[in-house]
Amino acid sequence: MAQPLPFEDGAAPERAESEPALLVDVDGFEGPLDLLLELARRQKVDLHRISILALAEQYLVFIEEARRMRLELAADYLVMAAWLAYLKSRLLLPEPPKGEEPSAEDLATALALRLRRLESIREAAKKLGEREWLGREVFARGAPEPVVVRKDSHYEASLYDLLSAYARQRQIRFNARVSLHKRTVWSLIEAREALERLVGHLNDWVTLDTYLVEYMVEPAMRPTVLASALSATLEMVREGKLTVRQDEAFAPVWVKPVTDPAEAGA
Amino acid sequence: MEETDDMVEEQVSSEIQVPDHGEAMRIAEALLFASAEPLGAEELAGRLPEGADVAKILEDLTAHYAGRGVNLVRVAGKWQFRTAGDLSFVLARNVTEQRRLSRAAMETLAIVAYHQPVTRAEIEEIRGVATSKGTLDTLMETGWIRLRGRRKAPGRPVTYGTTPHFLEHFGLDAIDDLPGLEELKGAGFIEGRVPSDFSVPVPSDDQALREDEDPLEGDDLLQPLDMHQSEAGEE
Amino acid sequence: MEETDDMVEEQVSSEIQVPDHGEAMRIAEALLFASAEPLGAEELAGRLPEGADVAKILEDLTAHYAGRGVNLVRVAGKWQFRTAGDLSFVLARNVTEQRRLSRAAMETLAIVAYHQPVTRAEIEEIRGVATSKGTLDTLMETGWIRLRGRRKAPGRPVTYGTTPHFLEHFGLDAIDDLPGLEELKGAGFIEGRVPSDFSVPVPSDDQALREDEDPLEGDDLLQPLDMHQSEAGEE
C-alpha cells in the first residue's frame, strides 16, 4: 500500500526496463476499487470533486504498465479497466441527444459515490477497530463467581403411573411363564423318532395327519408338529424308507412305508 | 511509569517524585478485578507505578470496599475481590426441577407400596432384575419411601416401606386404598389369564414393626446418604 | 473515593418502609461483580428486594464507579463492570495474544454492522472485491455476526447481521452507537442516492426479520459449519 505509484501527477513517467517491478505492485490492494481509491487519494482533492476522467486515465496507465511488465492481474482489475476505458470514451465524446442508457456524467457520479462509500466504510472499520475491545483494552471480571444453582428435585408421579407400573411388572412375570410353554417346539429329532415308531405299524397308505393327532392335543403345537413331521417325512422319503403322496394342493399328505426297495421314490 | 502519554497526571506527579496514590489505587483496583487468580502484594507492586505504597493501597482499597457488596479479601496471603459473605445468598438460585421417576424407580416404588415391609432382595425377586442402589436412593429422595427396620433373617436386610408423604402425593387416604387384584383387573391394569397362584397383597404401612422386623440402629439412618454419594449418576 | 458513609444514610431511610437502597445497591454490586456476562435491568430487578429502584441503583453505581479503576458500563442494553479504558496499558500484559482481524475481515465486519441486514453480494459490491467464505466464517466464529434470514430476492441470498456479543465486545450499548454513524448517514452513504439495488436507512440488529427477509430454514444453520469445514484454512 505504501509503495510509491508511478503516476503521482496523473502521467506515467518513462521507466527503464531495469526499474524494479515493485513500482507496479497490486498485491497491496484489495481489488480494483481499492486501487482506484488510492489513486483518487493521490489527486489530493476532496472525493466530492474528484475528476473521474483523470482517475480513469491513471488507472488505465497503471494497468498498461502492469501488463507491459507482464504482471499477472486478477480478472477483476481487467474488467474494471475495460469499464473505465468505455467510461473514458463516453466522457470524451459529445453526449448523444437522448439515450436510453444513463449519461456518462451519471456513470461517473455513480463511480465517485461508490468510492466515497468505500472510503466511509473504511473509516468506520478503522474507528471500530480503534475502540476499546473487551479483552484487549478493557477487561471483565477475571474471576467471576458463578451463581450456584441449587437443584431441588420435585418428583412427579401419578397414581395411574404407580398402578400401571405395578401391574406391568407383576404381569410380565406371569406372562413370561406362559410364553415359555408357547415356545415349546417339536424338534425334528422328536418328529423323526415318532415317525419311525409309526412306520413300524403301517403297511398301507395313511394320511400323516391322522397319525399326528396324538401329538396335537394342544392347538398351539399344531404348526410345529406339522412342520417338523413333514420335514422328517421328506427326509425318510429321501432315505427310501417312506413313500409320500398328496392328491392336490392342501390335501392331506399320505404316507406308506417302503417294503420293497424298488418302490422307493414313487 | 515508562508507558504512554495518557499518564499525563503521573508524569506531572513524577516530577515531585511521589506517585499519585489515587491513580495507583485505580490501577490496583483494575488489576485485582481483571485477574483470574488472587494477586500477591509483590505481583501488584511489580505493575504499579514505581514507588507506590502497595501496603497502603491495599489497606485503603480494603477499607473502601469494606461495607460494599464486594470486598477485597486476603486469600492464602494474596488479594482478591470476593462477594461480601453476607450476600452469598444472592449468588445462589434455587431451581425446583420437576422430574419424572424412571420406569425402574416407579416399579420399585409400586412394589414397596404393595409388598411392604420389603427388603431389596425381595424387590429384586419380584422384579426379576437387580435393583440399583441409585433407584432406592432416588426413591428415598422423593420422601415417599423410608427405611423401616431390619428383617430378622440372615444378613439382617433393611426393610422398606412407604411414608405418609407417599399417601399425600398419590391422593390416598390410607395404604389399603391401593386397589387389589380384582380392582386392577376391573380397571384394565391387568389383562389376560391370571395364574391361579397369582395374588396381590393387601398392603400395610403400619408404623409398628412386624414380628419379623428389628428396629433400625443409629448408623442405618446415615447409610442412604453415603450410598448416594458413592453411586451418584448410577441411575 | 469520596463515598463510604452513604450506606448509613440509606439504611436510615429503610425505616419508612422503602426497600433499603443501600442494601439493594450492595446486592446489585455483588451480582454485577460476580457475573461473567452483562446483566439486564430486568434480570437484576428479579433478584433484588421487591420494590427496589433498579434505575436509581444503576445510576448511583455508575456514578460511584465513574472515576475508579473499574467502571460500570452499559453494553448491548445490559450492565457490566469493566476495567477503565485508560488503564489498558497496565492490563494489556494480561492479554494472551488476542487474535487480530485482517483488514478484509474488519471491513467486512464494518459493512455487516453498518448495513445490516446485508447479503454477501452487497458486501462485495461495497468493497468491490470477492469476499472469501473464510472471512465470513472467521467472523461467524468470533460470534460477532450471525445469519439472520434470507432476502426475498432472486437466489434468496442469506442475510447477515451482528449479535449482542458484537455490541458487548466493542462496548456499544446499541447498534445506533456505532462510531461515525451520524457522519455516514449525513454523507448519504447509507441512505439516499447511492446508485445501488439496496439502501439501508439505518442499521438494525433487531431480532425481527425485515419485510424483505424470510426466516432461515433448518439446513441454513448447518451451512456455515459445512462451509467452514470445506474451506478451512482458506483465510
Side-chain angles (χ1 to χ4, degrees):
Chain A
M1 194 71 165
Q3 294 299 332
L5 289 162
F7 6 73
E8 290 289 313
D9 304 305
E14 295 292 329
R15 298 277 176 197
E17 285 289 338
S18 58
E19 296 244 18
L22 277 175
L23 288 172
V24 206
D25 182 13
V26 288
D27 285 350
F29 294 101
E30 294 254 358
L33 216 53
D34 186 29
L35 171 55
L36 269 176
L37 191 58
E38 178 58 26
L39 293 172
R41 284 207 192 99
R42 279 160 195 274
Q43 289 194 12
K44 293 194 168 70
V45 291
D46 186 340
L47 270 182
H48 289 85
R49 292 182 290 114
I50 195 86
S51 161
I52 290 294
L53 184 58
L55 197 60
E57 278 169 354
Q58 287 171 37
Y59 185 93
L60 292 171
V61 167
F62 181 98
I63 296 299
E64 216 27 69
E65 182 80 356
R67 288 174 70 172
R68 192 175 61 77
M69 301 179 82
R70 295 193 185 84
L71 288 184
E72 283 287 330
L73 283 178
D76 282 1
Y77 290 88
L78 301 177
V79 170
M80 178 60 88
W83 192 82
L84 287 174
Y86 162 77
L87 180 60
K88 185 180 147 191
S89 68
R90 288 276 309 268
L91 286 169
L92 292 173
L93 291 172
E95 279 293 311
K98 194 179 171 215
E100 293 288 309
E101 296 176 52
S103 71
E105 276 309 317
D106 288 348
L107 293 175
T109 307
L111 179 61
L113 275 171
R114 279 192 76 186
L115 290 174
R116 277 163 58 195
R117 192 172 56 175
L118 180 62
E119 173 108 319
S120 333
I121 209 75
R122 286 262 158 91
E123 194 53 35
K126 195 162 150 269
K127 283 183 181 155
L128 200 57
E130 285 165 355
R131 285 189 69 83
E132 286 165 355
W133 290 27
L134 182 65
R136 197 179 73 186
E137 281 88 18
V138 295
F139 298 84
R141 176 81 183 269
E145 295 169 76
V147 172
V148 179
V149 179
R150 289 204 203 99
K151 276 191 193 152
D152 190 10
S153 295
H154 182 78
Y155 288 92
E156 266 309 320
S158 68
L159 188 59
Y160 178 86
D161 295 334
L162 183 79
L163 298 180
S164 49
Y166 185 68
R168 182 177 62 227
Q169 183 55 44
R170 298 293 313 273
Q171 214 166 357
I172 282 169
R173 297 288 281 159
F174 68 66
N175 282 346
R177 282 199 296 272
V178 171
S179 69
L180 271 177
H181 285 296
K182 270 187 194 157
R183 254 186 270 123
T184 312
V185 291
W186 208 47
S187 72
L188 208 55
I189 293 163
E190 281 179 284
R192 169 105 192 208
E193 283 168 1
L195 279 173
E196 279 176 349
R197 280 198 299 276
L198 279 172
V199 168
H201 302 285
L202 294 178
N203 43 33
D204 200 0
W205 289 104
V206 72
T207 64
L208 189 61
D209 312 54
T210 317
Y211 285 88
L212 291 172
V213 162
E214 191 189 336
Y215 295 92
M216 296 185 198
V217 280
E218 278 196 63
M221 292 289 284
R222 256 187 97 96
T224 176
V225 167
L226 278 177
S228 295
L230 187 63
S231 300
T233 304
L234 294 175
E235 201 173 82
M236 288 168 74
V237 168
R238 193 166 53 83
E239 290 167 9
K241 291 179 180 164
L242 273 182
T243 308
V244 63
R245 77 178 162 85
Q246 189 179 26
D247 298 335
E248 58 182 311
F250 306 112
V253 175
W254 293 83
V255 292
K256 180 173 162 305
V258 175
T259 40
D260 176 1
E263 281 182 51
Chain B
M1 217 53 294
E2 63 294 350
E3 52 283 89
T4 74
D5 32 22
D6 51 2
M7 298 301 298
V8 180
E9 289 173 50
E10 292 296 336
Q11 282 167 343
V12 172
S13 68
S14 70
E15 287 169 24
I16 49 167
Q17 298 306 328
V18 176
D20 182 331
H21 185 64
E23 193 60 15
M25 267 187 61
R26 291 183 72 227
I27 295 173
E29 196 175 28
L31 286 168
L32 287 162
F33 172 84
S35 171
E37 305 291 330
L39 291 179
E42 323 70 46
E43 286 169 271
L44 276 169
R47 299 175 69 178
L48 288 173
E50 194 89 28
D53 184 346
V54 180
K56 181 84 171 78
I57 286 167
L58 287 168
E59 191 189 307
D60 288 357
L61 275 179
T62 306
H64 174 80
Y65 279 95
R68 304 198 63 91
V70 172
N71 304 150
L72 184 59
V73 296
R74 234 186 125 109
V75 276
K78 299 189 169 194
W79 298 85
Q80 187 171 40
F81 279 120
R82 303 298 302 173
T83 302
D86 65 318
L87 294 182
S88 60
F89 72 93
V90 299
L91 294 181
R93 201 177 315 174
N94 286 320
V95 177
T96 304
E97 257 188 339
Q98 292 288 336
R99 293 177 65 179
R100 291 193 66 84
L101 285 179
S102 69
R103 187 180 156 142
M106 227 23 239
E107 287 174 4
T108 305
L109 175 64
I111 290 165
V112 171
Y114 273 95
H115 296 258
Q116 61 187 305
V118 68
T119 66
R120 185 165 155 186
E122 289 160 359
I123 295 168
E124 292 180 350
E125 202 203 306
I126 295 169
R127 292 190 64 222
V129 60
T131 300
S132 78
K133 279 177 181 169
T135 302
L136 283 165
D137 285 344
T138 304
L139 289 174
M140 293 290 286
E141 206 186 302
T142 61
W144 297 335
I145 73 168
R146 66 187 180 94
L147 302 181
R148 282 178 54 92
R150 287 185 175 276
R151 178 69 47 78
K152 286 174 184 163
R156 304 187 66 250
V158 166
T159 53
Y160 293 91
T162 55
T163 62
H165 192 59
F166 169 84
L167 297 177
E168 280 166 37
H169 186 90
F170 290 95
L172 297 166
D173 188 29
I175 198 70
D176 53 15
D177 283 353
L178 281 174
L181 178 58
E182 288 312 314
E183 288 164 291
L184 286 172
K185 275 162 75 176
F189 286 110
I190 290 179
E191 288 169 324
R193 208 170 57 90
V194 178
S196 54
D197 61 346
F198 183 84
S199 70
V200 168
V202 177
S204 158
D205 60 356
D206 196 347
Q207 294 288 314
L209 294 176
R210 297 218 177 158
E211 275 187 13
D212 63 352
E213 284 177 296
D214 277 338
L216 292 169
E217 286 127 39
D219 291 353
D220 292 334
L221 299 167
L222 295 172
Q223 210 180 347
L225 275 175
D226 295 335
M227 294 196 313
H228 187 62
Q229 279 171 341
S230 61
E231 315 238 355
E234 183 191 313
E235 186 117 343
Chain C
M1 256 152 282
E2 62 296 345
E3 45 288 302
T4 60
D5 308 349
D6 50 3
M7 300 284 182
V8 182
E9 290 169 47
E10 294 297 337
Q11 279 165 348
V12 173
S13 69
S14 72
E15 285 169 27
I16 50 165
Q17 295 307 321
V18 175
D20 187 332
H21 185 65
E23 193 60 16
M25 267 191 51
R26 289 184 72 226
I27 296 175
E29 194 177 28
L31 287 169
L32 287 161
F33 242 81
S35 174
E37 303 293 327
L39 292 180
E42 323 70 47
E43 283 170 271
L44 280 169
R47 297 170 67 183
L48 289 175
E50 195 87 28
D53 186 344
V54 181
K56 181 83 173 77
I57 287 167
L58 288 167
E59 192 189 307
D60 288 357
L61 277 177
T62 306
H64 174 80
Y65 280 93
R68 305 196 61 92
V70 173
N71 304 147
L72 183 59
V73 295
R74 221 186 134 113
V75 284
K78 300 184 169 195
W79 298 85
Q80 188 174 35
F81 275 117
R82 292 181 171 188
T83 58
D86 65 315
L87 297 179
S88 64
F89 70 98
V90 256
L91 293 159
R93 273 179 258 181
N94 283 354
V95 185
T96 51
E97 197 48 49
Q98 168 112 12
R99 198 156 59 127
R100 289 208 151 264
L101 284 184
S102 69
R103 182 177 136 178
M106 253 338 265
E107 274 180 27
T108 304
L109 175 64
I111 293 169
V112 172
Y114 288 81
H115 290 262
Q116 62 185 311
V118 68
T119 66
R120 185 165 157 184
E122 290 159 358
I123 295 167
E124 293 181 347
E125 204 219 304
I126 294 173
R127 297 191 62 230
V129 64
T131 301
S132 81
K133 277 175 179 170
T135 302
L136 283 166
D137 283 347
T138 304
L139 290 173
M140 295 282 285
E141 218 180 286
T142 60
W144 297 339
I145 73 167
R146 66 187 181 93
L147 301 181
R148 284 180 53 93
R150 286 184 176 277
R151 178 70 47 80
K152 284 176 185 161
R156 304 187 67 247
V158 166
T159 52
Y160 293 90
T162 55
T163 63
H165 193 60
F166 166 82
L167 297 177
E168 283 170 32
H169 188 89
F170 291 94
L172 298 163
D173 186 24
I175 201 72
D176 295 343
D177 294 340
L178 280 170
L181 188 60
E182 285 311 312
E183 293 98 298
L184 277 172
K185 279 198 275 187
F189 293 124
I190 286 180
E191 62 183 317
R193 301 171 297 121
V194 177
S196 133
D197 57 348
F198 76 105
S199 72
V200 180
V202 177
S204 161
D205 59 356
D206 194 344
Q207 295 287 313
L209 295 176
R210 296 221 175 160
E211 271 187 17
D212 64 351
E213 284 178 297
D214 277 338
L216 292 169
E217 284 126 40
D219 291 354
D220 291 335
L221 300 167
L222 295 171
Q223 209 182 346
L225 276 176
D226 294 335
M227 294 197 311
H228 186 64
Q229 280 170 343
S230 60
E231 316 237 355
E234 183 190 312
E235 183 104 344

